[in-house]
Amino acid sequence: MGFVKYKQPCIECGGSDPVSINDNGTAICFNCRKWYRNYEAETKNATAPVVVSLKETKNNMKMESSGDFNELIDRNIGLVTAKKYGVKSVISGGQVVQHSYPYYIANEIAGYKVRDKDKMFSWSGNSKGTGLFGEQLFQNKGKYITVTEGECDAMAAYELLGSKWPVVSLKNGASGAPQDFKNSLEFLENFDTVVINFDNDKPGREAARKVAKLLTPGKAKILYMPDEYKDANDMLKQFKQGLYVTAWWAAKTYTPSGVMNLSDNLDKLKHRARKECIAYPWEGLNKKLYGIRQGELITLTGGTGLGKSSITRELEHWLIGNTKDNVGILALEEDWTRTADGILSIEANTRLYIDEERDAYGQDKYAELSDNYFNGENKDRVWIHAHFGANDFDDILSKLRYMIIGCECRWIVVDHLHMLLSSLVSGDERTGIDNIMMRLRKLVEETGVGMILVSHLRRVEGNRGHENGITVSLNHLRGSQSIAQLSDCVIALERDQQSEDPQEANTTHLRVLKSRYT
């Protein structure tokens, strides 16, 4: 199965030419990805232009070319250029009704790509194994070569550049750009600079970035034409040679995503959006951290029994009550009902997770509270996955991603890191934590979610543990330094439970160990 027609309209997205048709009648839109089982039948009664039957246009694949060498008056391309590229045309009634573009294998014509006046394409001869359009003309190494999206664009760019620099084009348009580049990579690498001049639309720009990555770093330049022009041939027809040449020389060297020239991005620097901060429930933290932000990974740590779960519940309740965002909770050490009761307990200011205190509160009152809280203004805003015990980490990560993407949660609480560690099949603790932290960090960067992660501390030497008021430092984090390195913020809980001062024995202090933002 192979494509025999290109640039057909799509009835799904309304595109004028993003559909390619296979020889068995199936088709795909490379814009919206719609798949047609029978393109002709499905578009027969559509309002979009309907192509004629495949049987009427499908070429018999004999290697033949109709027409003669002519000036391509429909594209404003001269006779000399048409002859150089070997393009023949058929003229009827004073109009060009067909182009035939030759494609070569080892300097011999293997087939012709035929374009009719309605921009329908078919092949005569063999298309497999052929290179880029025009590739056979420029076999010597050189300083510059330009690659366009279509054959007429290649000839147009060649004329716009004064017929001085080599220009070739893709064989299969933007959708086939990566494969076309891979097939001709050795040829393209012979040139010092490859100027990529694809169509001035979203598919063209995306394809340009994809193929630029295939070339040796620093070799690819992407040409951005003025917004009002679709492609090189459009500029030729409007006699914009000077404007095209200026844009060609101004083409920027492609740099991988994440590497930028700061001089070219000063406007973005000066007019960047402010980071929205949500205040913490405690003024001391706000003075230190200026609130909590999405796109950050905050690690909460402390010794056993110092209130990590209580602090976490306070933060969950605070985010639900002080934002309009959805909140997701992954509690791996407790049942989901305990998680829900913990949040309701803060709302009611009583420990509803204890059966006796919930009974004292009253079952009817509890039912009214839970219904009003989770079905009122917070309806469909709180998402919980609670599972006691180990689970597959990839499965847990997919659930986190579902909460963020599918449930649109902008805040995620993960309690806790070392239960995630137990979900890994093998490996030592340090390697496992490195793996988990790297993937959580990547998830935060990718989605922009605000994530609160609970982590444990390792035991320290001596008789005095973290439960007895020892000052916590970053090297007390259990298992790996990647916890500190990959977190934006680390907050530790401290309390001296053995203090003779009752108030001190029951007071938890929060110590900021790291804050990348401040």
Side-chain angles (χ1 to χ4, degrees):
M1 185 173 69
F3 292 133
V4 295
K5 282 190 187 176
Y6 302 86
K7 297 191 175 181
Q8 304 302 301
C10 179
I11 61 173
E12 182 74 15
C13 67
S16 61
D17 61 356
V19 175
S20 293
I21 304 175
N22 289 303
D23 55 11
N24 65 356
T26 61
I28 186 170
C29 174
F30 288 97
N31 185 28
C32 68
R33 312 305 296 180
K34 176 177 174 60
W35 175 257
Y36 296 87
R37 292 183 180 276
N38 187 322
Y39 181 82
E40 181 186 6
E42 292 179 50
T43 59
K44 185 175 182 181
N45 298 317
T47 56
V50 181
V51 300
V52 297
S53 168
L54 274 174
K55 295 179 180 180
E56 296 173 13
T57 61
K58 183 178 177 182
N59 201 286
N60 61 11
M61 296 306 287
K62 292 180 180 179
M63 204 278 288
E64 52 187 39
S65 171
S66 301
D68 302 294
F69 290 120
N70 301 294
E71 178 184 357
L72 304 179
I73 55 177
D74 58 327
R75 314 301 291 183
N76 202 25
I77 295 170
L79 175 60
V80 173
T81 301
K83 280 187 173 181
K84 180 176 180 64
Y85 281 86
V87 176
K88 295 182 178 181
S89 59
V90 176
I91 297 178
S92 177
Q95 293 185 336
V96 178
V97 296
Q98 180 179 290
H99 297 175
S100 295
Y101 311 115
Y103 278 83
Y104 287 72
I105 298 177
N107 293 319
E108 293 187 3
I109 295 178
Y112 288 90
K113 184 178 176 182
V114 182
R115 175 189 184 277
D116 68 19
K117 62 183 179 65
D118 296 318
K119 293 179 68 175
M120 296 181 183
F121 291 89
S122 58
W123 277 90
S124 172
N126 182 22
S127 66
K128 294 182 179 179
T130 56
L132 300 170
F133 172 70
E135 183 175 320
Q136 79 286 350
L137 300 173
F138 310 107
Q139 290 300 307
N140 296 327
K141 295 181 179 180
K143 190 170 184 180
Y144 295 103
I145 188 168
T146 300
V147 186
T148 66
E149 195 170 314
E151 292 85 357
C152 285
D153 292 325
M155 292 184 285
Y158 183 71
E159 289 197 357
L160 287 166
L161 293 171
S163 303
K164 182 179 180 181
W165 302 109
V167 184
V168 295
S169 89
L170 301 174
K171 181 169 65 176
N172 296 307
S175 61
Q179 190 58 53
D180 286 352
F181 258 62
K182 290 176 183 178
N183 293 341
S184 294
L185 196 57
E186 184 177 2
F187 163 74
L188 293 171
E189 286 286 347
N190 284 329
F191 295 85
D192 296 337
T193 300
V194 179
V195 180
I196 302 167
N197 180 202
F198 292 172
D199 286 3
N200 195 14
D201 53 21
K202 183 178 179 181
R205 289 188 290 270
E206 290 178 349
R209 289 190 290 269
K210 287 180 181 178
V211 299
K213 298 175 183 178
L214 301 175
L215 297 166
T216 299
K219 185 180 289 287
K221 288 190 173 185
I222 298 179
L223 192 162
Y224 294 101
M225 295 180 294
D227 292 341
E228 59 268 32
Y229 304 105
K230 180 180 183 293
D231 49 39
N233 198 195
D234 189 19
M235 296 193 75
L236 178 67
K237 289 192 291 183
Q238 298 189 51
F239 304 100
K240 299 297 182 181
Q241 181 178 10
L243 193 59
Y244 180 85
V245 171
T246 299
W248 189 84
W249 283 111
K252 299 290 186 181
T253 301
Y254 170 79
T255 55
S257 177
V259 179
M260 63 168 61
N261 183 332
L262 189 55
S263 298
D264 295 335
N265 290 274
L266 287 181
D267 282 343
K268 293 180 181 178
L269 177 68
K270 291 182 286 188
H271 302 104
R272 66 188 182 275
R274 293 176 60 87
K275 279 197 171 186
E276 184 179 354
C277 299
I278 305 300
Y280 280 99
W282 307 285
E283 189 56 32
L285 277 187
N286 290 322
K287 289 180 179 179
K288 292 282 187 182
L289 304 175
Y290 297 110
I292 183 174
R293 287 155 293 278
Q294 293 177 8
E296 292 187 355
L297 174 57
I298 298 97
T299 295
L300 187 68
T301 188
T304 302
L306 296 191
K308 293 190 298 297
S309 295
S310 297
I311 294 290
T312 302
R313 294 284 176 268
E314 292 280 356
L315 290 173
E316 292 165 355
H317 179 266
W318 182 260
L319 290 171
I320 295 168
N322 289 274
T323 74
K324 298 297 182 182
D325 301 319
N326 292 359
V327 178
I329 303 169
L330 183 74
L332 295 171
E333 215 170 28
E334 64 186 21
D335 183 77
W336 69 269
T337 59
R338 174 64 179 83
T339 304
D341 279 343
I343 298 171
L344 290 175
S345 295
I346 297 171
E347 183 71 9
N349 199 28
T350 188
R351 296 180 296 180
L352 297 176
Y353 48 85
I354 297 176
D355 290 343
E356 289 77 7
E357 295 199 23
R358 189 169 63 254
D359 291 341
Y361 186 77
Q363 287 297 329
D364 291 342
K365 191 176 178 182
Y366 173 84
E368 182 181 3
L369 173 68
S370 59
D371 194 54
N372 289 340
Y373 189 78
F374 291 120
N375 266 337
E377 292 184 358
N378 301 323
K379 182 176 175 60
D380 299 329
R381 286 188 54 219
V382 184
W383 300 82
I384 298 176
H385 168 71
H387 180 82
F388 187 85
N391 205 335
D392 179 70
F393 180 64
D394 288 332
D395 183 55
I396 293 173
L397 198 67
S398 73
K399 287 181 171 61
L400 280 175
R401 184 179 293 277
Y402 172 73
M403 282 184 175
I404 299 168
I405 305 299
C407 306
E408 299 182 343
C409 293
R410 303 309 305 148
W411 303 96
I412 290 286
V413 178
V414 180
D415 187 5
H416 54 83
L417 171 64
H418 293 85
M419 282 296 290
L420 287 177
L421 182 64
S422 67
S423 69
L424 292 177
V425 176
S426 61
D428 59 82
E429 183 178 74
R430 185 190 61 78
T431 302
I433 290 176
D434 288 346
N435 180 19
I436 293 170
M437 289 300 300
M438 187 66 72
R439 295 173 76 176
L440 291 180
R441 177 80 245 178
K442 184 178 179 181
L443 188 63
V444 169
E445 293 293 336
E446 175 191 342
T447 63
V449 73
M451 182 177 293
I452 298 171
L453 174 68
V454 180
S455 175
H456 286 175
L457 296 171
R458 63 178 176 82
R459 300 297 298 179
V460 294
E461 296 179 1
N463 296 324
R464 202 160 178 241
H466 293 104
E467 298 79 19
N468 304 123
I470 190 172
T471 300
V472 181
S473 64
L474 286 175
N475 62 14
H476 291 165
L477 289 164
R478 175 181 157 187
S480 170
Q481 286 302 304
S482 65
I483 303 172
Q485 292 166 355
L486 297 177
S487 297
D488 291 284
C489 179
V490 180
I491 304 171
L493 280 63
E494 298 175 0
R495 190 199 315 166
D496 187 357
Q497 295 175 314
Q498 303 301 317
S499 174
E500 295 181 358
D501 182 348
Q503 182 175 352
E504 187 65 21
N506 289 285
T507 300
T508 294
H509 300 268
L510 301 183
R511 182 183 299 276
V512 178
L513 303 181
K514 176 185 178 181
S515 174
R516 181 174 285 129
Y517 184 73
T518 58

